[in-house]
């Protein structure tokens, strides 16, 4: 049984503005549902536009002090932040599994420790906001580059990784000296609120981190369009990302988009078959497949195709579905019954043109459970191959030549992540060069690191989360130039007036 009582934790409301919890003012209530049982576990009033305005005002008020702090001061506060998160790790894991239906072992061993590590990384990175070294590039001037915070950042995070996505938005922003208003998905506000409370507990000033829990069309769109928000960072579907971009354009905001994916998993005929089978099942089923980088399209060179299909099907059938708070559970429910039905619709429509090898059905259970599913023999241009399903569904297709395998891997609008499986270093290296994706793993699929960037190509968006590269999103680069000559009449002035 879980021990996280959301109604007690957030009795004062699900908005966190200027260092305290408060109730929303939209006049609309929303129930957070445990997707493993279908039970309501927390009811709160959604944020309205007035709440967004208050949060932006709090962030704007906090900005001069936080941006004016030294890198060492921000770093020290963020190191304390990491320590608080580590001390409260079990509380965060319980809250994440309750609102998302994640197996507790995933929350404890992936989401929470990954977030603590990410916080510790950015605590150190806060001291390394460096520009190009000073130099006399013109001969008569000394130039150098400053990196400066942008201002108030308005970010929107999705429901699939509420804690990690909150961290990916908040940490680089505040490490660079910005302040932030984060809107989590209204389905999953718990760990974003806990994250902001932990920041306050660590001594990060009130107003630096604010949370507005509201609907996208109301709180989200108002946040993106707010004239006092200097930058928007959004993670979610490509369709919604286009809408965010339209709104942000009206006020010429800095924009960072991490959007959908349809990751290819390319298995060449010299691959370690056992490793590829295990990697495919793990990569396809992580977070019940609700992961933009999850393996969704397996392309297997024909000599290994039949054995791969057989191996993946057998391993999928051994996966244990059940109570997310049982440490032996491998796969939890999807986020909601509506989303489960959406996933089932993709598979059901595919039966007319492809073969469902295993799975393809919901459990007879109050929760939103769907069995791990393997689909074979679909055409490359079919819906199940081209569209984002966001569930525990892997589609496998054969290919013949290496050229064909790479061509098929690139044949969707997306380019977030991919993997290549081969013992041949030249073959694998070619795949990493030619597959168009922001991350290409070799002989593995899914691991992420705080030190390495995450972000996509094509319809998967632009800009990077994590790593020092994320500071490109959250800083302004300023060129500063000093005259060294003390000469009143410069030689170049003659191009405007007078003679040499």
């Amino acid at each position: 049984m879980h021990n996280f009582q959301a109604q007690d934790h957030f009795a004062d409301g699900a908005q966190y503005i200027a260092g305290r919890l408060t109730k929303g003012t939209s006049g609309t209530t929303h129930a957070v549902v445990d997707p493993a049982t279908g039970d309501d576990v927390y009811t709160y009033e959604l944020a309205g536009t007035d709440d967004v305005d208050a949060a932006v005002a709090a962030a704007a008020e906090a900005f001069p002090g936080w941006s004016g702090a030294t890198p060492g001061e921000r770093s020290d506060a963020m190191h304390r932040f990491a320590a608080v998160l580590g001390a409260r790790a079990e509380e965060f894991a319980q809250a994440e599994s309750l609102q998302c239906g994640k197996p507790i072992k995933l929350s404890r061993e992936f989401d929470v420790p990954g977030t603590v590590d990410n916080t510790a990384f950015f605590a150190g990175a806060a001291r390394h906001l460096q520009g190009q070294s000073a130099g006399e590039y013109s001969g008569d001037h000394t130039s150098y580059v400053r990196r400066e915070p942008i201002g108030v950042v308005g970010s929107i995070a999705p429901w699939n990784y509420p804690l990690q996505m909150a961290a990916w938005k908040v940490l680089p922003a505040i490490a660079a000296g910005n302040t932030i208003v984060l809107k989590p998905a209204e389905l999953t506000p718990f760990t974003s609120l806990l994250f902001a409370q932990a920041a306050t507990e660590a001594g990060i000033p009130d107003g630096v981190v604010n949370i507005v829990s509201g609907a996208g069309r109301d709180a989200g769109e108002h946040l993106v369009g707010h004239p006092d928000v200097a930058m928007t960072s959004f993670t979610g579907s490509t369709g919604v990302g286009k809408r965010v971009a339209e709104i942000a354009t009206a006020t010429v905001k800095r924009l960072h988009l991490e959007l959908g994916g349809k990751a290819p998993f390319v298995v060449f005929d010299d691959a370690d078959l056992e490793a590829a089978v295990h990697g495919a099942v793990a990569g396809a089923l992580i977070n019940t497949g609700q992961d933009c980088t999850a393996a969704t399209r397996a392309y297997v060179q024909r000599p290994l195709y039949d054995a791969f299909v057989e191996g993946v099907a057998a391993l999928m059938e051994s996966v244990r579905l059940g109570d997310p708070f049982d440490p032996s559970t491998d796969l939890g429910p999807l986020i909601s019954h509506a989303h489960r039905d959406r996933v089932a619709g993709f598979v059901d429509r595919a039966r007319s043109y492809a073969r469902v090898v295993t799975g393809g059905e919901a459990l007879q259970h109050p929760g939103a459970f769907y069995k791990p599913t393997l689909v074979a023999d679909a055409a490359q241009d079919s819906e199940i191959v081209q569209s984002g399903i966001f569930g525990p569904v892997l589609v496998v297709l054969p290919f013949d030549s290496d050229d064909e395998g790479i061509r098929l891997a690139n044949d969707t609008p997306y380019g977030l992540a991919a993997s290549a499986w081969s013992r041949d270093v030249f073959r694998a290296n070619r795949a990493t060069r030619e597959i168009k994706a922001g991350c290409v793993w070799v002989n593995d699929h899914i691991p992420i690191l705080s030190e390495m960037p995450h972000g996509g190509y094509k319809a998967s968006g632009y800009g990077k989360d994590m790593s020092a590269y994320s500071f490109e999103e959250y800083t302004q680069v300023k060129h500063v130039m000093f005259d060294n000559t003390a000469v009143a009449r410069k030689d170049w002035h003659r191009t405007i007036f007078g003679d040499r």
Side-chain angles (χ1 to χ4, degrees):
M1 293 293 292
H2 71 84
N3 298 311
F4 187 83
Q5 300 300 317
Q7 209 70 50
D8 295 336
H9 274 77
F10 307 122
D12 293 329
Q15 319 304 323
Y16 195 78
I17 300 171
R20 67 184 185 93
L21 289 169
T22 185
K23 296 184 186 298
T25 62
S26 68
T28 302
T29 58
H30 178 79
V32 178
V33 176
D34 176 356
T37 64
D39 296 335
D40 293 354
V41 293
Y42 179 65
T43 300
Y44 69 99
E45 191 161 1
L46 292 168
T49 56
D50 288 347
D51 304 303
V52 173
D53 290 343
V56 172
E61 183 177 353
F63 177 72
W66 183 248
S67 62
T70 67
E73 288 168 338
R74 289 198 296 267
S75 177
D76 288 347
M78 293 183 70
H79 277 299
R80 295 193 300 271
F81 190 9
V84 171
L85 294 172
R88 295 173 59 181
E90 180 61 18
E91 177 188 10
F92 277 84
Q94 293 267 338
E96 193 79 336
S97 287
L98 177 62
Q99 67 183 353
C100 300
K102 292 176 188 282
I104 193 67
K105 65 179 180 180
L106 182 66
S107 294
R108 285 173 177 160
E109 299 176 31
F110 182 74
D111 296 67
V112 175
T115 300
V116 175
D117 181 75
N118 209 223
T119 308
F121 170 82
F122 278 106
R127 290 180 177 264
H128 297 283
L129 280 166
Q130 298 169 345
Q132 189 172 2
S133 61
E136 288 66 50
Y137 297 96
S138 77
D140 291 337
H141 305 82
T142 296
S143 289
Y144 66 88
V145 171
R146 291 175 56 88
R147 281 193 179 273
E148 298 180 348
I150 295 170
V152 176
V153 177
S155 292
I156 299 176
W159 49 257
N160 58 329
Y161 287 103
L163 176 59
Q164 291 204 71
M165 295 297 100
W168 288 13
K169 301 301 183 197
V170 170
L171 296 172
I174 67 172
N178 302 285
T179 56
I180 189 167
V181 178
L182 173 73
K183 192 200 86 66
E186 61 268 34
L187 298 174
T188 54
F190 297 163
T191 44
S192 295
L193 293 167
L194 292 177
F195 194 70
Q197 288 179 311
T200 299
E201 184 180 340
I204 292 174
D206 293 350
V208 172
V209 180
N210 306 275
I211 307 295
V212 288
S213 305
R217 290 192 178 275
D218 300 319
E221 293 198 0
H222 190 64
L223 179 62
V224 174
H226 200 290
D228 295 332
V229 169
M231 174 188 166
T232 290
S233 177
F234 170 79
T235 296
S237 71
T238 298
V240 177
K242 292 177 181 178
R243 174 62 179 158
V244 168
E246 290 174 0
I247 298 169
T249 299
T251 49
V252 199
K253 286 178 169 48
R254 176 78 66 88
L255 185 60
H256 167 223
L257 298 174
E258 197 266 273
L259 306 177
K262 189 71 177 176
F265 185 102
V266 184
V267 183
F268 295 100
D269 58 13
D270 66 331
D272 180 327
L273 178 62
E274 182 182 15
V277 166
H278 282 78
V281 174
L285 300 186
I286 185 169
N287 205 36
T288 319
Q290 298 167 130
D291 185 315
C292 291
T293 65
T296 57
R297 300 178 289 137
Y299 298 102
V300 183
Q301 209 151 21
R302 208 169 292 275
L304 295 184
Y305 180 75
D306 290 339
F308 180 88
V309 171
E310 181 181 352
V312 168
L315 191 53
M316 279 187 169
E317 288 166 4
S318 72
V319 170
R320 299 164 296 184
L321 283 70
D323 177 5
F325 290 93
D326 182 339
S328 67
T329 292
D330 298 321
L331 197 73
L334 291 158
I335 189 64
S336 68
H337 288 82
H339 185 59
R340 183 197 64 187
D341 294 345
R342 178 183 178 276
V343 170
F346 279 102
V347 177
D348 290 343
R349 289 189 296 275
R351 296 179 194 278
S352 65
Y353 57 78
R355 175 169 57 102
V356 178
V357 180
T358 190
E361 60 180 319
L363 292 187
Q364 296 301 310
H365 188 281
F369 290 90
Y370 194 78
K371 289 184 178 180
T373 300
L374 180 64
V375 177
D377 306 332
Q380 174 66 16
D381 62 356
S382 62
E383 178 192 50
I384 204 163
V385 173
Q386 293 291 324
S387 298
I389 300 171
F390 225 53
V393 179
L394 177 64
V395 183
V396 59
L397 298 84
F399 69 92
D400 293 305
S401 68
D402 289 15
D403 288 349
E404 182 188 15
I406 292 172
R407 177 182 62 78
L408 292 171
N410 286 328
D411 184 27
T412 72
Y414 302 104
L416 186 57
S419 62
W421 298 73
S422 173
R423 291 186 174 98
D424 185 325
V425 65
F426 299 102
R427 207 175 204 182
N429 199 31
R430 178 194 175 190
T432 64
R433 289 195 312 272
E434 297 185 13
I435 293 176
K436 305 303 181 187
C439 174
V440 181
W441 294 283
V442 176
N443 296 326
D444 207 344
H445 194 108
I446 283 297
I448 54 175
L449 298 166
S450 295
E451 294 83 357
M452 290 291 113
H454 175 86
Y457 287 23
K458 303 190 293 185
S460 292
Y462 47 81
K464 299 300 177 185
D465 288 312
M466 299 198 299
S467 83
Y469 289 98
S470 65
F471 287 136
E472 301 296 330
E473 317 304 321
Y474 293 97
T475 56
Q476 297 275 20
V477 174
K478 177 186 286 184
H479 171 214
V480 178
M481 194 174 195
F482 282 87
D483 171 61
N484 293 330
T485 67
V487 173
R489 187 174 178 180
K490 306 291 193 292
D491 186 57
W492 70 268
H493 292 177
R494 69 180 177 81
T495 63
I496 311 302
F497 59 88
D499 300 316
R500 186 183 294 276

